[in-house]
Amino acid sequence: MKVYVLNGPNLGRLGTRQIDVYGVTSYADLVELCESTGRELGISVTVRQTDAEHEMLGWLHAAADEAAAVVLNPAAWSHYSIAVRDACAMLRAPLVEVHISNIHTREEFRHHSVVSAVATGVICGLGVDGYRLALHHLATHRDQDG
Ligand code: DQA
């Protein structure tokens, strides 16, 4: 089973970015967490981050072509990118949307994600542990989900 863990803008700054909101785990630590979880679960995990929307769209198109599952933190794009949502709608395997912070307890503009309606499920507010939980869910349901 192949899973792409895709991260949107500013998530490469984890560990130094608003640590009161996002914690002290660095992006490198997040990559290691996802890769080691993948090894533990026996699934192939590829972790990526970009600040460029067109690059994210290309990765989502590739995941759709490969029928690969996706764990996506769309970051700020969650709140306004219809292009990212449309690319997510093309996916053929489960999509778990992850937010490190609880977007519902923050500024009102963060309360709505345009991606959530096309996601299989959403995890938010559990810190970087949300990524681990998302991978566990996908691995547990791998037979049903292809
Ligand atoms: C985020 C929440 C978004 O509102 C924000 O723009 C991010 C990160 C999160 O992981 O909590 O960049 O997706």
Side-chain angles (χ1 to χ4, degrees):
M1 183 197 197
K2 169 128 201 174
V3 180
Y4 287 106
V5 178
L6 304 179
N7 293 285
N10 299 309
L11 290 169
R13 310 281 296 177
L14 282 178
T16 54
R17 172 193 185 197
Q18 292 183 276
I19 56 174
D20 51 320
V21 177
Y22 299 111
V24 294
T25 303
S26 68
Y27 178 70
D29 292 339
L30 175 67
V31 172
E32 176 50 29
L33 169 76
C34 294
E35 289 177 349
S36 62
T37 303
R39 284 193 294 274
E40 181 192 311
L41 296 169
I43 59 178
S44 158
V45 173
T46 300
V47 189
R48 294 179 178 150
Q49 188 275 328
T50 185
D51 295 327
E53 194 174 9
H54 71 93
E55 191 167 34
M56 177 62 78
L57 296 177
W59 292 342
L60 290 166
H61 296 166
D65 290 344
E66 294 170 35
V70 174
V71 174
L72 174 66
N73 186 341
W77 291 326
S78 316
H79 312 302
Y80 66 88
S81 176
I82 306 303
V84 169
R85 175 202 169 109
D86 286 350
C88 289
M90 293 182 223
L91 293 170
R92 295 186 289 138
L95 164 66
V96 182
E97 179 182 354
V98 170
H99 298 281
I100 295 167
S101 65
N102 183 348
I103 57 175
H104 303 289
T105 61
R106 300 183 63 196
E107 302 96 325
E108 201 167 340
F109 66 85
R110 296 186 202 273
H111 293 184
H112 183 67
S113 165
V114 297
V115 172
S116 298
V118 295
T120 309
V122 182
I123 299 172
C124 88
L126 301 182
V128 293
D129 201 35
Y131 290 83
R132 199 182 56 78
L133 295 168
L135 291 169
H136 272 265
H137 171 81
L138 292 171
T140 303
H141 296 272
R142 73 184 97 183
D143 296 331
Q144 287 139 264
D145 300 336

